[in-house]
Amino acid sequence: MSQRGILAVVSGFSGAGKGTLMKALLSGHADQYALSISATTRQPRNGEVHGREYFFITKEAFEQMIEEDALIEHACYVGNYYGTPKSYVMEQMEAGKDVILEIEIQGALKVKEKFPDTLLLFVTPPSAEELEKRLRGRGTETEEVIRDRLKRAVEEAEYMDRYDYILVNDDLDTCVQKMHELIQSQHQKTGENLDFICEMKQELKQL
Amino acid sequence: MSQRGILAVVSGFSGAGKGTLMKALLSGHADQYALSISATTRQPRNGEVHGREYFFITKEAFEQMIEEDALIEHACYVGNYYGTPKSYVMEQMEAGKDVILEIEIQGALKVKEKFPDTLLLFVTPPSAEELEKRLRGRGTETEEVIRDRLKRAVEEAEYMDRYDYILVNDDLDTCVQKMHELIQSQHQKTGENLDFICEMKQELKQL
């Protein structure tokens, strides 16, 4: 069956638990997945490491990457560029790794437009009430930040049906397992097995 | 998430091991799946039981079902009708069971046309050589029958890419597990969760 890796984009509400989910997925199946690392022109925050959280690059370097079509998608937020370097993603997929991109919705839709075989996954808590509970439960955010995230969730929810699959993150282990099975099942997609089908047709004719 | 059952159609070459696969899938997860039983006007063979292998009905009864649009698909082979009664499939899906239809390619494509959400699975041995080996290995068929099946496989292979997923049946247990994960993952499809998405949007606005 298909040896090439799958490209899976994961988006979801702030508070849906994407970060924890990604960590659990990758630590459980380190040999199968590669997490794409974004490039950004913003300053590193405390504890952030170049090449781990982000590739921290200059505005000039970023704009050159745009010019050279070296980014799968990019966007500008609050005066800073964010984008997904193409070369890393392609290398990993060619090597048979399934590549996970954790990016926001506009970026996700751009990737799907450019690469229609991309698997778009949307992670959500089981209810809006639970989302609010999780955001407040962190205990680290001001009321303003929480209201802002909930407002953003309302906007983001409008795009949920543009995704291929909806993953409800109720229990972490169950959700990780479902995500893993979902991504792995994509290797059996007809479009991923055209070489196999072609060989089968030829071999059958020669019998 | 979606409570309604999935409709999965399984086709594949004669000799691909569909029968054994179906039996293993259903015996391992009897509470989750229902196997659709076809209606036919042909005579029961030795050991075949009405309501188990087929519903054996008269030509008149079959034609009345066609007239009443009571069949999902039907076809005529060697002077006999074969078809899938709609009511059983719909009842099981409404009850939350994933319904498996094991039918040939033309029927499968008709079902997909009528119900675009249907999951089309094509089961194949890992190679044409292995297919021939399995057909001969049975030791029960004449050379003519084997040549006939291989000729039919050549024709059937032309439709492989009309299926959603290709399942290579190399090791039975692995294949059953893959088929199960594949069908279950369909419950997370966006189209199966439109009610959930709609509720989420409304709830978020009310926070």
Side-chain angles (χ1 to χ4, degrees), chain B residues 9-29:
Chain B
V9 170
V10 179
S11 309
F13 305 123
S14 171
K18 292 188 301 293
T20 320
L21 204 54
M22 297 292 90
K23 242 182 233 165
L25 181 72
L26 271 92
S27 75
H29 312 272

Side-chain angles (χ1 to χ4, degrees), chain B residues 119-187:
Chain B
L119 177 69
L120 294 191
L121 305 178
F122 194 95
V123 181
T124 170
S127 68
E129 200 187 339
E130 177 64 23
L131 178 69
E132 188 177 13
K133 212 170 109 190
R134 287 190 198 169
L135 285 173
R136 293 195 185 283
R138 290 178 177 177
T140 53
E141 319 286 3
T142 63
E143 180 64 22
E144 199 193 340
V145 169
I146 291 168
R147 294 309 316 168
D148 201 61
R149 295 219 164 128
L150 288 173
K151 206 183 126 199
R152 200 168 161 195
V154 172
E155 292 162 19
E156 289 175 334
E158 291 303 315
Y159 294 93
M160 279 174 86
D161 36 25
R162 303 279 291 273
Y163 281 69
D164 297 313
Y165 292 87
I166 305 294
L167 270 171
V168 174
N169 187 7
D170 195 353
D171 170 68
L172 179 73
D173 289 344
T174 310
C175 191
V176 170
Q177 185 60 23
K178 276 188 179 179
M179 183 180 269
H180 178 58
E181 288 174 8
L182 193 50
I183 297 172
Q184 292 316 308
S185 70
Q186 299 306 299
H187 285 283

